[in-house]
Amino acid sequence: MTAIAPETRLGSTVANLTEDTSKNLAAAIQWQAIATDLREAPIETSFVQLGQGDRPLLCLHGFDSSVFEFRRLLPQLAEQHSVRALDCLGFGFTERPEGIEISPDTIRQHLWGCWQAWYQKPIVLVGASMGGAIAIDFALNYPEAVAGLILIDSAGIAPGPWIGRFLPSPLDGWAVDFLGRPDVRRRISERAYHDPQRWVTPDAETCAALHLQQPGWREGLRRFTRSGGYGSMRSRLPELRQPTQLLWGRQDQILGTKDAAVFQRLLPQSELVWIDDCGHVPHLEQPRATAEAIATFVATLPT
């Protein structure tokens, strides 16, 4: 396990970070070689780990994102819990190995490797947007590894990735370059927040674009979209027996709010908590309220 100077692996624009939460997270990123069944050599995997506690939490980011998505939530959760944020296979600052498909199957296998390396006991998965679909998929396939689910404005009801509202799927080269444009990323960010004038700052834009400098970013996105991504999981949601908390921004303009009620109806053990004055990213826009709701839920889980 290695801790490396941020500019060495995160790129030169990490020097443009101005908010303390962003700079602190950049300094805390580590890499570990995770063994998987995907290839003989392990995969260099990036993550952040904070806090202590008996019930570990693992945070999973959304589409074309990274651990920086949790820069405001992690310090709040770490006050009471041992918490990690992971860059899933194909995303963030985790290695994108040549010759390995980036798909829900391989993302799950990589996550299983992380669970074996770090935990080997039931954990709580915190999934935001596409990270929610990753968490659901993992819990369905490895129920013994998951003690509870926290789904934040989660994908998994509507077919196909939400990014399809902005770009054709599968992404080809020009579309990936289009997604990499600062003005396009800014427009998506503005829709993600209820109060974009407050939250879409130069620091936030730097955080959202740091991983674009990573080797294989373009090809990784193309490989993922060619796989079809995460479609609708409606039919399998009743199979989930883990206690589940649904956190949803009341002003979500990315996925809307109707899916929240669908999740609540289909998940056998679920509670729905609305986050007021909040768009698609409660963990960024309302981190204190989000952390308090998570702490209340985790306290109810059996030890």
Side-chain angles (χ1 to χ4, degrees), residues 152-171:
I152 303 175
D153 292 72
S154 179
I157 296 298
W162 65 263
I163 197 65
R165 301 183 185 183
F166 299 93
L167 296 169
S169 181
L171 296 180

Side-chain angles (χ1 to χ4, degrees), residues 64-110:
D64 190 28
S65 188
S66 76
V67 292
F68 276 92
E69 184 176 324
F70 296 103
R71 62 191 180 274
R72 299 190 185 115
L73 181 64
L74 291 183
Q76 309 272 1
L77 293 177
E79 293 175 4
Q80 300 183 49
H81 303 287
S82 171
V83 57
R84 276 187 178 94
L86 166 70
D87 279 331
C88 297
L89 181 69
F91 297 93
F93 307 96
T94 285
E95 178 188 4
R96 297 163 174 82
E98 294 184 7
I100 292 180
E101 181 184 9
I102 306 298
S103 68
D105 286 344
T106 58
I107 290 171
R108 182 195 321 122
Q109 290 178 64
H110 175 250

Side-chain angles (χ1 to χ4, degrees), residues 279-291:
H280 184 63
V281 285
H283 46 306
L284 282 166
E285 194 163 18
Q286 297 288 355
R288 172 52 67 181
T290 301

Side-chain angles (χ1 to χ4, degrees), residues 284-301:
L284 282 166
E285 194 163 18
Q286 297 288 355
R288 172 52 67 181
T290 301
E292 289 175 351
I294 289 173
T296 299
F297 171 75
V298 173
T300 68
L301 297 177

Side-chain angles (χ1 to χ4, degrees), residues 61 71 75 96 117 139-140 174 214 227 233 281:
H61 57 75
R71 62 191 180 274
R96 297 163 174 82
L140 286 168
W174 75 264
Q214 294 298 296
S227 78
M233 299 180 175
V281 285

